[in-house]
Amino acid sequence: MDIFLQQIINGLTTGSVYAIVALGYTMVYGVIQLINFAHGEVVMIGAMVAFTVIMAIVGAGAPLPPIVIVLAGVLAAIPVCMTVGFLLERVAYRPLRHAPRLAPLITAIGMSIILQQLALLIWGRDPRAFPQIMENTSFSLGGAAISSVQIAIILMSIALMAVLTWFVYRTKFGIAMRATAENVSVAGLMGIDANRVIAGTFIIAAGLAAVAGVMYGTYYGIAHYTMGFILGLKAFSAAVLGGIGNLAGAMLGGILLGLVEALGTGYISEFTDLCKWPVVGAEGMLMERCAADGHVVLFGSNYQDVFAFLVLIMVLVFRPSGLLGERVSERA
Amino acid sequence: MASSSPEKGYALLEALNLEVHYGGIAAVKGVSFAVEEGELVCLIGANGAGKTSTLKALARMIPSSGEIHYRKERLDRQPSHLLIGKGMALVPEGRGIFARLTVAENLAMGAYHRNDKDGIAADLAHVYTLLPRLKERAEQVAGTLSGGEQQMLAIGRALMGRPQLLLLDEPSMGLAPLMVEKVFEVIRAVAAEGVTIFLVEQNARLALQTCSRGYVMESGRITLADTSDKLLADPRVRAAYLGE
Ligand SMILES: Nc1ncnc2c1ncn2[C@@H]1O[C@H](COP(=O)(O)OP(=O)(O)O)[C@@H](O)[C@H]1O
Ligand SMILES: [Mg+2]
C-alpha cells in the first residue's frame, strides 16, 4: 500500500470537513469579529440529530435506500442547527454586540459548554455508533484505497463550497454580507439591516455545520456529545491558517490542515522511531530493544490531534494574518 | 439666524436643539436648522466644529438628543437603515466606499432597499452617464480607484437609492483642486435634477459659491446663518474662513 497517497486521500476527506466547519468560523468572524467557539457544538448537534433520525428510520424497518435515510438525517439536522445558530446570536451574542470584545468571547465559550451539557442530557454520555447503513465500497486508486463515503464527503464539500461562493459573490444578500463585513455603519446607510445580515450569517454557518456533522459522523462511524470540541478547535485552526475572515482561506486552510494531519499521523511513528536515529548516550539500551521489537516509537499515530495545534501555533507565530488574510486590522 | 427660518413652508428636514455627546464631551451643543425642498444648503466650519457629528446624528449613526423632523416625520428614534427608504442618503466623511467590492457591487448596494428592477437599471444608466468613469471601472475593485473616483462612487452609490435629500460630508476632502472642481460640478448637476442637498464643507468659499445659503458652525454651535452672498461678504466669515 502506498502510505503517502493513502494519507493524501484521507487528508482530503477530513480536510474537506474541516473546510466546511472553518467556513462557519470565518463567516461569523468576518461580519462581527467574533470567534464563535460554540460553532463546534453546532456541528456535534448536527451529527446527533442526524444520528437520532437515521436510527429511528432504521429501527422502524422502513425499506428505504440507505442514501435516502442519510439524506433524511441531513435534512432534519439542518433546520435544527440553523435554529440553534440563530438563537445563539439572538440570545447570547447580540446583547453584547457593543460590549468589550472579551465579553462575547467568554460568552461563546460558555455557550459551547452549555450546548455540550444539553447534548449530554438529551443523548447521554455514551458514544453512539453511527449506523453503517451505507455500503462502503472501496476502490483502489494507484496503490491506495478510496471509499465511497470518502468520495461522497469530498464531492459534497466541493458542492457546498461552490454554492456558498456563488451565494456570497452573486446574490444581493451575499454582497450585503460582504458590505457589512467591511463597514457596518455605512452598510446601514445603504438600508442594510445589520441584524438581519448577522442573523443570516449565523444561520448559513449553522446549516454548513449540520452537513459537516453528518459527514464527520458517517466517516468515523461515531457521534459523541464532546466531539464538537476538538473538531471545532481544528476547524478554527484551519480558519486561522487560511486567514480568518477570508472565505477562500477557510477552504484552503481546511484542506491543508487535513493533509498536514493525515501525513503527520501517517509518518509520525516512522519519524520518531528511535531505532532509525543515532541516539547519543543510549545506544546500548536501544540496540537491545530494537533487536527485540524492531521499533522504539516515541510518538504514535495517537498523537493525531497534535498537528492542528502545531499548525495553529506556527501560523500565530510566523504569519498571524494567515495564508490569504490581509494584515490583521485593529478594529475594536 | 432667524432670517431663513423654516416657518415659510414645510421644511424637508428640520433639526431642533440637536445635541451630540461623546462620553461626557459635548460635540454638538443644541443646534437648530432647516432645509427646504429643492434647496442647496451648506454647513461650514473649522475642523472639529461638530459638522460630521451633526450629519451622523441626522443619519442616526450616533445617538443624539433633540428633534429631527423629515417630511413632518420624527426621525430621531429611527434606526439608520430605514432612512434611505424614506429618501434620505448620506455620503459619509472619507467616502465610506466598500473597498473590497467592485464598483458595480458598490452601486448595487446603494439600491439595496429597492426592488424595482427597471427603476434600478434606469438609475444605474443615469449614474453612469453622470459619472462615466464609474462605468469604465465597473468591474474593478473599488479600493483600487483614485480618491476622486472614490468620491464619485460614493455620490453615485447614494444616488442609486434615489434620494430626495442628499447629505454630503466634505466631498472635497483630500482631493486635488481639479478633482474638487469636478466633484462640485457633479453636486451642482445633482441639485439641478431636483435633489435637495445639505452640504458640509471646510472649503467655505467653494461651498458658499455653490449653495444658496449656509450655516456657520463653531465649537458645536451654529453662530451664523444667512444667504451665501451675505456670508461671503460678512467680515467675520471673511476673516475666519476665507483667509482674508
Ligand atoms: N467618535 C468620537 N469620540 C469622541 N470624540 C469625537 C468623536 N468623533 C468626533 N469627536 C469630537 O467631537 C468634535 C466634533 O467632531 P466632528 O463632528 O468630527 O467635527 P467636524 O466634522 O466639524 O470636523 C471634535 O472635538 C472631535 O474631536
Ligand atoms: Mg468632519
Side-chain angles (χ1 to χ4, degrees), chain B residues 22 27-28 45-54 93 169-170 200 202:
Chain B
Y22 295 109
V28 179
N47 192 17
K51 307 180 298 297
T52 295
S53 303
T54 303
E93 184 176 74
D169 196 349
E170 293 211 38
V200 159
Q202 262 192 74

PDB file of all heavy atoms in Angstrom, chain B residues 22 27-28 45-54 93 169-170 200 202, ligand 1:
ATOM      1  N   TYR B  22     -20.026  62.751  23.194  1.00  0.00           N
ATOM      2  CA  TYR B  22     -19.133  61.575  23.187  1.00  0.00           C
ATOM      3  C   TYR B  22     -18.648  61.402  24.617  1.00  0.00           C
ATOM      4  O   TYR B  22     -17.856  62.216  25.093  1.00  0.00           O
ATOM      5  CB  TYR B  22     -17.947  61.797  22.260  1.00  0.00           C
ATOM      6  CG  TYR B  22     -18.332  61.921  20.799  1.00  0.00           C
ATOM      7  CD1 TYR B  22     -18.256  63.137  20.147  1.00  0.00           C
ATOM      8  CD2 TYR B  22     -18.763  60.805  20.084  1.00  0.00           C
ATOM      9  CE1 TYR B  22     -18.596  63.256  18.807  1.00  0.00           C
ATOM     10  CE2 TYR B  22     -19.108  60.919  18.744  1.00  0.00           C
ATOM     11  CZ  TYR B  22     -19.021  62.134  18.110  1.00  0.00           C
ATOM     12  OH  TYR B  22     -19.358  62.252  16.793  1.00  0.00           O
ATOM     13  N   ALA B  27     -20.127  67.505  21.614  1.00  0.00           N
ATOM     14  CA  ALA B  27     -19.564  67.872  20.311  1.00  0.00           C
ATOM     15  C   ALA B  27     -20.538  68.775  19.556  1.00  0.00           C
ATOM     16  O   ALA B  27     -20.127  69.657  18.815  1.00  0.00           O
ATOM     17  CB  ALA B  27     -19.264  66.620  19.499  1.00  0.00           C
ATOM     18  N   VAL B  28     -21.835  68.552  19.746  1.00  0.00           N
ATOM     19  CA  VAL B  28     -22.864  69.394  19.141  1.00  0.00           C
ATOM     20  C   VAL B  28     -23.755  69.869  20.279  1.00  0.00           C
ATOM     21  O   VAL B  28     -24.281  69.059  21.045  1.00  0.00           O
ATOM     22  CB  VAL B  28     -23.685  68.608  18.093  1.00  0.00           C
ATOM     23  CG1 VAL B  28     -24.763  69.494  17.496  1.00  0.00           C
ATOM     24  CG2 VAL B  28     -22.771  68.071  16.985  1.00  0.00           C
ATOM     25  N   GLY B  45     -17.531  75.222   8.634  1.00  0.00           N
ATOM     26  CA  GLY B  45     -16.939  75.345   9.959  1.00  0.00           C
ATOM     27  C   GLY B  45     -15.575  74.701   9.977  1.00  0.00           C
ATOM     28  O   GLY B  45     -15.255  73.878   9.113  1.00  0.00           O
ATOM     29  N   ALA B  46     -14.786  75.078  10.970  1.00  0.00           N
ATOM     30  CA  ALA B  46     -13.423  74.573  11.051  1.00  0.00           C
ATOM     31  C   ALA B  46     -13.412  73.099  11.448  1.00  0.00           C
ATOM     32  O   ALA B  46     -14.440  72.546  11.856  1.00  0.00           O
ATOM     33  CB  ALA B  46     -12.628  75.387  12.069  1.00  0.00           C
ATOM     34  N   ASN B  47     -12.274  72.486  11.326  1.00  0.00           N
ATOM     35  CA  ASN B  47     -12.083  71.110  11.745  1.00  0.00           C
ATOM     36  C   ASN B  47     -12.435  70.981  13.231  1.00  0.00           C
ATOM     37  O   ASN B  47     -11.998  71.784  14.034  1.00  0.00           O
ATOM     38  CB  ASN B  47     -10.621  70.724  11.507  1.00  0.00           C
ATOM     39  CG  ASN B  47     -10.404  69.239  11.644  1.00  0.00           C
ATOM     40  OD1 ASN B  47     -11.357  68.476  11.599  1.00  0.00           O
ATOM     41  ND2 ASN B  47      -9.160  68.839  11.814  1.00  0.00           N
ATOM     42  N   GLY B  48     -13.260  70.003  13.553  1.00  0.00           N
ATOM     43  CA  GLY B  48     -13.625  69.790  14.953  1.00  0.00           C
ATOM     44  C   GLY B  48     -14.818  70.607  15.411  1.00  0.00           C
ATOM     45  O   GLY B  48     -15.195  70.562  16.587  1.00  0.00           O
ATOM     46  N   ALA B  49     -15.450  71.337  14.511  1.00  0.00           N
ATOM     47  CA  ALA B  49     -16.580  72.187  14.896  1.00  0.00           C
ATOM     48  C   ALA B  49     -17.823  71.376  15.259  1.00  0.00           C
ATOM     49  O   ALA B  49     -18.691  71.849  15.988  1.00  0.00           O
ATOM     50  CB  ALA B  49     -16.905  73.154  13.760  1.00  0.00           C
ATOM     51  N   GLY B  50     -17.906  70.143  14.743  1.00  0.00           N
ATOM     52  CA  GLY B  50     -19.075  69.313  15.039  1.00  0.00           C
ATOM     53  C   GLY B  50     -19.943  69.037  13.822  1.00  0.00           C
ATOM     54  O   GLY B  50     -21.062  68.550  13.940  1.00  0.00           O
ATOM     55  N   LYS B  51     -19.414  69.303  12.630  1.00  0.00           N
ATOM     56  CA  LYS B  51     -20.193  69.124  11.399  1.00  0.00           C
ATOM     57  C   LYS B  51     -20.505  67.645  11.143  1.00  0.00           C
ATOM     58  O   LYS B  51     -21.654  67.282  10.876  1.00  0.00           O
ATOM     59  CB  LYS B  51     -19.428  69.712  10.193  1.00  0.00           C
ATOM     60  CG  LYS B  51     -18.993  71.155  10.374  1.00  0.00           C
ATOM     61  CD  LYS B  51     -18.258  71.702   9.168  1.00  0.00           C
ATOM     62  CE  LYS B  51     -16.955  70.996   8.837  1.00  0.00           C
ATOM     63  NZ  LYS B  51     -15.907  71.093   9.888  1.00  0.00           N
ATOM     64  N   THR B  52     -19.457  66.823  11.210  1.00  0.00           N
ATOM     65  CA  THR B  52     -19.662  65.399  10.950  1.00  0.00           C
ATOM     66  C   THR B  52     -20.600  64.791  11.990  1.00  0.00           C
ATOM     67  O   THR B  52     -21.490  63.998  11.659  1.00  0.00           O
ATOM     68  CB  THR B  52     -18.315  64.661  10.943  1.00  0.00           C
ATOM     69  OG1 THR B  52     -17.543  65.149   9.853  1.00  0.00           O
ATOM     70  CG2 THR B  52     -18.496  63.164  10.782  1.00  0.00           C
ATOM     71  N   SER B  53     -20.416  65.192  13.234  1.00  0.00           N
ATOM     72  CA  SER B  53     -21.292  64.679  14.290  1.00  0.00           C
ATOM     73  C   SER B  53     -22.743  65.046  13.994  1.00  0.00           C
ATOM     74  O   SER B  53     -23.655  64.239  14.214  1.00  0.00           O
ATOM     75  CB  SER B  53     -20.873  65.247  15.643  1.00  0.00           C
ATOM     76  OG  SER B  53     -19.529  64.927  15.905  1.00  0.00           O
ATOM     77  N   THR B  54     -22.954  66.252  13.486  1.00  0.00           N
ATOM     78  CA  THR B  54     -24.314  66.678  13.145  1.00  0.00           C
ATOM     79  C   THR B  54     -24.899  65.775  12.062  1.00  0.00           C
ATOM     80  O   THR B  54     -26.020  65.274  12.190  1.00  0.00           O
ATOM     81  CB  THR B  54     -24.293  68.140  12.648  1.00  0.00           C
ATOM     82  OG1 THR B  54     -23.711  68.953  13.668  1.00  0.00           O
ATOM     83  CG2 THR B  54     -25.682  68.623  12.325  1.00  0.00           C
ATOM     84  N   GLU B  93     -18.218  61.177   5.554  1.00  0.00           N
ATOM     85  CA  GLU B  93     -16.867  61.726   5.517  1.00  0.00           C
ATOM     86  C   GLU B  93     -15.891  60.597   5.197  1.00  0.00           C
ATOM     87  O   GLU B  93     -16.024  59.489   5.703  1.00  0.00           O
ATOM     88  CB  GLU B  93     -16.540  62.316   6.894  1.00  0.00           C
ATOM     89  CG  GLU B  93     -15.201  62.994   6.972  1.00  0.00           C
ATOM     90  CD  GLU B  93     -14.999  63.645   8.348  1.00  0.00           C
ATOM     91  OE1 GLU B  93     -14.770  62.923   9.332  1.00  0.00           O
ATOM     92  OE2 GLU B  93     -15.082  64.869   8.415  1.00  0.00           O
ATOM     93  N   ASP B 169     -20.785  64.910   3.290  1.00  0.00           N
ATOM     94  CA  ASP B 169     -19.824  65.309   4.312  1.00  0.00           C
ATOM     95  C   ASP B 169     -18.442  65.500   3.696  1.00  0.00           C
ATOM     96  O   ASP B 169     -17.764  64.533   3.359  1.00  0.00           O
ATOM     97  CB  ASP B 169     -19.779  64.257   5.433  1.00  0.00           C
ATOM     98  CG  ASP B 169     -19.096  64.801   6.687  1.00  0.00           C
ATOM     99  OD1 ASP B 169     -18.491  65.888   6.613  1.00  0.00           O
ATOM    100  OD2 ASP B 169     -19.172  64.133   7.739  1.00  0.00           O
ATOM    101  N   GLU B 170     -18.060  66.731   3.529  1.00  0.00           N
ATOM    102  CA  GLU B 170     -16.752  67.118   2.989  1.00  0.00           C
ATOM    103  C   GLU B 170     -16.332  66.339   1.750  1.00  0.00           C
ATOM    104  O   GLU B 170     -15.331  65.631   1.750  1.00  0.00           O
ATOM    105  CB  GLU B 170     -15.671  66.957   4.068  1.00  0.00           C
ATOM    106  CG  GLU B 170     -15.891  67.966   5.178  1.00  0.00           C
ATOM    107  CD  GLU B 170     -14.611  68.415   5.842  1.00  0.00           C
ATOM    108  OE1 GLU B 170     -13.612  68.579   5.119  1.00  0.00           O
ATOM    109  OE2 GLU B 170     -14.631  68.612   7.052  1.00  0.00           O
ATOM    110  N   VAL B 200     -21.858  69.687   3.788  1.00  0.00           N
ATOM    111  CA  VAL B 200     -20.922  70.055   4.848  1.00  0.00           C
ATOM    112  C   VAL B 200     -19.549  70.238   4.233  1.00  0.00           C
ATOM    113  O   VAL B 200     -19.099  69.387   3.458  1.00  0.00           O
ATOM    114  CB  VAL B 200     -20.889  68.957   5.935  1.00  0.00           C
ATOM    115  CG1 VAL B 200     -19.611  69.045   6.748  1.00  0.00           C
ATOM    116  CG2 VAL B 200     -22.089  69.068   6.847  1.00  0.00           C
ATOM    117  N   GLN B 202     -15.404  72.152   4.729  1.00  0.00           N
ATOM    118  CA  GLN B 202     -14.421  73.037   5.341  1.00  0.00           C
ATOM    119  C   GLN B 202     -13.985  74.092   4.346  1.00  0.00           C
ATOM    120  O   GLN B 202     -13.569  75.180   4.709  1.00  0.00           O
ATOM    121  CB  GLN B 202     -13.187  72.224   5.756  1.00  0.00           C
ATOM    122  CG  GLN B 202     -13.179  71.848   7.217  1.00  0.00           C
ATOM    123  CD  GLN B 202     -11.824  71.326   7.631  1.00  0.00           C
ATOM    124  OE1 GLN B 202     -10.871  72.066   7.777  1.00  0.00           O
ATOM    125  NE2 GLN B 202     -11.755  70.013   7.810  1.00  0.00           N
TER     126      GLN B 202
HETATM  127  N1  LIG C   1     -16.013  59.117  17.989  1.00  0.00           N
HETATM  128  C1  LIG C   1     -15.669  60.198  18.714  1.00  0.00           C
HETATM  129  N2  LIG C   1     -15.344  60.050  20.005  1.00  0.00           N
HETATM  130  C2  LIG C   1     -15.003  61.140  20.750  1.00  0.00           C
HETATM  131  N3  LIG C   1     -14.949  62.371  20.286  1.00  0.00           N
HETATM  132  C3  LIG C   1     -15.273  62.591  18.995  1.00  0.00           C
HETATM  133  C4  LIG C   1     -15.637  61.511  18.148  1.00  0.00           C
HETATM  134  N4  LIG C   1     -15.897  61.995  16.915  1.00  0.00           N
HETATM  135  C5  LIG C   1     -15.693  63.323  16.995  1.00  0.00           C
HETATM  136  N5  LIG C   1     -15.310  63.681  18.230  1.00  0.00           N
HETATM  137  C6  LIG C   1     -15.030  65.044  18.693  1.00  0.00           C
HETATM  138  O1  LIG C   1     -16.181  65.819  18.503  1.00  0.00           O
HETATM  139  C7  LIG C   1     -15.852  67.085  17.998  1.00  0.00           C
HETATM  140  C8  LIG C   1     -16.549  67.320  16.692  1.00  0.00           C
HETATM  141  O2  LIG C   1     -16.011  66.442  15.713  1.00  0.00           O
HETATM  142  P1  LIG C   1     -16.613  66.337  14.250  1.00  0.00           P
HETATM  143  O3  LIG C   1     -18.082  66.235  14.355  1.00  0.00           O
HETATM  144  O4  LIG C   1     -15.899  65.268  13.555  1.00  0.00           O
HETATM  145  O5  LIG C   1     -16.216  67.758  13.662  1.00  0.00           O
HETATM  146  P2  LIG C   1     -16.007  68.212  12.166  1.00  0.00           P
HETATM  147  O6  LIG C   1     -16.675  67.240  11.273  1.00  0.00           O
HETATM  148  O7  LIG C   1     -16.633  69.555  12.131  1.00  0.00           O
HETATM  149  O8  LIG C   1     -14.540  68.276  11.918  1.00  0.00           O
HETATM  150  C9  LIG C   1     -14.330  67.136  17.900  1.00  0.00           C
HETATM  151  O9  LIG C   1     -13.825  67.753  19.038  1.00  0.00           O
HETATM  152  C10 LIG C   1     -13.943  65.697  17.871  1.00  0.00           C
HETATM  153  O10 LIG C   1     -12.676  65.507  18.454  1.00  0.00           O
END
